[in-house]
Amino acid sequence: MSRPTIIINELDAERIDRLLEQPAFASLPVAEALNAELDRAQMCAPQDMPHNVVTMNSQVRFRDLTTGEERTRTLVYPNQMTDSATQLSVLAPVGAALIGLRTGDTIHWELPGGTATHLEVLELIFQPEAAGEYQR
């Protein structure tokens, strides 16, 4: 099944690469899939990032098309996670699936344990790059 084209901020990609090189994260089930996403992504300078793309520290509203459940989360690095009700780690399966997607994009994503999810990005409530914050 084809996946939507994704765009990743070069700074985000570099930081995620460094995370995935750490033994604690490299062995996670999501690491291989996230590496594959980085490899296929179109890279973009932070100041050139389209304002409809999910980047790190973006607050995104999305729907699980399998269950119909809608959630709003801020995509964060694992060391920033303080509240799973409002945040989502990029190293969580759903977080890895969302990075680089545009508003309106859908993606089928494999989950640990052999299950899958189908997600749709409904709205980008906040994106650091759109707010002129290029170093977050």
Side-chain angles (χ1 to χ4, degrees):
M1 177 164 301
S2 68
R3 292 181 185 250
T5 302
I6 60 172
I7 302 173
I8 297 186
N9 167 337
E10 295 164 339
L11 205 56
D12 290 348
E14 186 179 305
R15 290 174 179 160
I16 293 167
D17 268 340
R18 281 198 308 259
L19 273 177
L20 294 174
E21 289 171 359
Q22 296 175 25
F25 300 122
S27 61
L28 292 175
V30 74
E32 187 176 329
L34 188 51
N35 264 320
E37 289 295 273
L38 291 176
D39 288 346
R40 75 179 191 86
Q42 174 187 333
M43 295 297 162
C44 182
Q47 59 273 19
D48 297 329
M49 179 60 68
H51 294 174
N52 64 340
V53 175
V54 178
T55 63
M56 292 305 302
N57 297 299
S58 289
Q59 185 181 37
V60 59
R61 187 169 62 90
F62 61 96
R63 176 183 296 129
D64 180 327
L65 294 173
T66 307
T67 65
E69 182 181 355
E70 285 187 23
R71 291 184 222 135
T72 300
R73 299 286 187 277
T74 300
L75 189 63
V76 299
Y77 295 101
N79 64 341
Q80 295 174 311
M81 275 292 296
T82 57
D83 181 7
S84 62
T86 61
Q87 296 174 316
L88 180 63
S89 170
V90 70
L91 293 185
V94 171
L98 290 173
I99 190 153
L101 295 179
R102 291 178 174 89
T103 303
D105 280 350
T106 63
I107 192 167
H108 286 274
W109 193 258
E110 296 298 317
L111 299 173
T115 61
T117 190
H118 188 193
L119 304 172
E120 177 184 17
V121 177
L122 299 173
E123 178 185 12
L124 207 54
I125 297 165
F126 173 79
Q127 183 207 58
E129 294 83 355
E133 299 173 18
Y134 304 120
Q135 298 299 316
R136 276 182 97 168

